[in-house]
Amino acid sequence: MGEELGWRHGDADGGRPTHLKYTTVTGFFLQDDPTTDPSTFDYTKVNLGLINRTYPTDELFDPHGRRMQWERFAYYVDSLNRECGGGVAYKVLIIGRHGEGYHNVAEAHYGTEAWDCYWSLLDGDGTLVWDDAELTPIGRDQAQIAHDFWSTALTVAKIPAPESYYSSPLQRCIQTANVTFDGLDLPATRPFKPVVKELLRESIGVHTCDRRHPKSWISANYPSVSFESDFPDLDPLWKADERETFSARVVRMAELLDEVFEGDGNTWISFSSHSGAIGATLEALGHRGFGLTTGGVIPVLVRAEVMRGERRGRGEAPTRPPECTVNPGRMAKV
């Protein structure tokens, strides 16, 4: 079990401003190794990327060498939280990208330039619909691959099941999380109860695939999910004429991390998210860039520490939809 960091803007420092500093603790996963190529990486073949190594706690926890790698790593992470003292906490974030959605198919078909300037502004093209895009059959298969991986890893590799599950409000992530985790033989103390968080979504604005449905619609169509407190019915963030910048997305994901580290005492956390949001999350965590294919997963061991002063950095202003320089209907397939 981890810790909630009750830092709330100065509580830990006599009322003066404070913030959480996030650091990726490297040397435990292949994904944080600069020599690992993201384009060819397959988490299902390498134990989610956990490196086969020893830990300082092995002599105490596993003196006879009988424990599995994940068991020894979990014990080591627990020891970090036991020994770190106040103002510091460690969590293992298991961040998954949704499976292929119909918007991914459309962008591949029309090309990124035509997608960004024209097609992404529409709800569909008369054949495909990508407004709050659903998973394609391939996307569901990718989520099923993740389900099968977890089914084996829980029992054979002894990977700890997540204690908390968070999902983007966009339905491709909810669908991916449901296919991945529903029906697994999970511990009774760690049931799959996904919580929808507003800030875990993809880049905000312009693209209709990133405009969420109302809360009432999500609840009716995905009754297994619950919502963070004060989750509004209508999407308060999406605008048709403004697109969130990368730097603003990093600020948003840092705020999301603050919410999780401040309010969730669990150590093992699952995020079901998007490529852009994951890239910004890794940036906020000080992790190297690591692009995930649809259905990909990246675990990160994170250290959070309460620091004096306000967090530096502001997001750049949103951008307008780009002007089309070619006829988007005649763009060649990429």
Side-chain angles (χ1 to χ4, degrees):
M1 185 70 70
E3 284 212 23
E4 299 175 20
L5 285 172
W7 60 287
R8 290 188 181 277
H9 307 293
D11 289 356
D13 193 29
R16 290 175 292 182
T18 58
H19 68 280
L20 286 178
K21 177 184 177 181
Y22 298 105
T23 306
T24 296
V25 186
T26 60
F28 297 93
F29 295 103
L30 292 170
Q31 291 93 323
D32 61 53
D33 184 337
T35 65
T36 302
D37 184 354
S39 67
T40 58
F41 186 78
D42 184 347
Y43 73 91
T44 67
K45 296 180 179 179
V46 287
N47 206 19
L48 203 63
L50 185 65
I51 295 172
N52 185 17
R53 52 161 291 178
T54 60
Y55 308 108
T57 51
D58 284 349
E59 185 175 352
L60 173 65
F61 178 66
D62 188 28
H64 303 294
R66 297 171 181 171
R67 300 280 190 170
M68 301 297 291
Q69 186 74 44
W70 275 105
E71 293 177 295
R72 293 189 290 109
F73 174 65
Y75 186 87
Y76 175 66
V77 173
D78 286 344
S79 75
L80 292 176
N81 278 318
R82 287 193 301 268
E83 299 168 6
C84 63
V88 175
Y90 293 84
K91 295 186 188 296
V92 179
L93 304 182
I94 301 174
I95 308 171
R97 184 184 176 189
H98 61 78
E100 181 190 75
Y102 284 103
H103 64 305
N104 299 126
V105 174
E107 181 177 356
H109 174 74
Y110 290 110
T112 297
E113 184 178 359
W115 171 256
D116 285 342
C117 76
Y118 181 77
W119 291 106
S120 66
L121 284 65
L122 306 179
D123 290 351
D125 62 2
T127 300
L128 299 179
V129 175
W130 51 75
D131 171 30
D132 192 1
E134 294 187 76
L135 293 181
T136 68
I138 289 176
R140 289 187 174 275
D141 287 344
Q142 290 170 334
Q144 184 62 47
I145 289 171
H147 176 93
D148 295 343
F149 167 81
W150 276 99
S151 181
T152 300
L154 287 167
T155 56
V156 178
K158 303 297 184 182
I159 182 173
E163 297 168 285
S164 300
Y165 298 86
Y166 296 111
S167 174
S168 159
L170 298 171
Q171 63 175 330
R172 55 191 180 271
C173 284
I174 298 174
Q175 291 173 335
T176 299
N178 283 344
V179 174
T180 298
F181 295 109
D182 194 27
L184 291 174
D185 186 16
L186 298 170
T189 56
R190 300 186 178 193
F192 173 57
K193 292 184 177 180
V195 177
V196 171
K197 291 189 72 66
E198 189 81 85
L199 297 182
L200 197 48
R201 62 198 293 171
E202 184 57 293
S203 305
I204 299 168
V206 179
H207 296 192
T208 63
C209 59
D210 301 328
R211 178 183 62 200
R212 73 165 172 85
H213 279 85
K215 175 183 178 181
S216 53
W217 185 95
I218 299 172
S219 183
N221 285 271
Y222 301 100
S224 65
V225 305
S226 60
F227 298 85
E228 63 185 344
S229 61
D230 301 322
F231 189 90
D233 187 51
L234 300 182
D235 189 338
L237 301 177
W238 189 90
K239 295 181 180 180
D241 59 350
E242 291 184 355
R243 183 71 170 168
E244 183 182 38
T245 58
F246 177 75
S247 61
R249 196 160 66 244
V250 173
V251 171
R252 170 163 62 90
M253 301 317 295
E255 183 178 345
L256 168 76
L257 293 167
D258 291 345
E259 292 178 0
V260 172
F261 274 81
E262 179 189 60
D264 191 333
N266 290 326
T267 300
W268 298 83
I269 310 290
S270 169
F271 285 170
S272 295
S273 191
H274 310 260
S275 60
I278 293 169
T281 302
L282 296 180
E283 179 73 15
L285 294 172
H287 194 287
R288 78 174 184 113
F290 196 92
L292 297 182
T293 58
T294 50
V297 183
I298 182 170
V300 186
L301 175 58
V302 180
R303 183 183 190 271
E305 181 178 5
V306 179
M307 304 293 289
R308 294 180 179 180
E310 296 181 353
R311 181 181 289 130
R312 295 182 180 180
R314 288 187 175 182
E316 296 173 299
T319 59
R320 305 284 295 181
E323 296 290 334
C324 283
T325 58
V326 293
N327 183 340
R330 294 181 180 177
M331 290 292 291
K333 182 176 179 180
V334 176

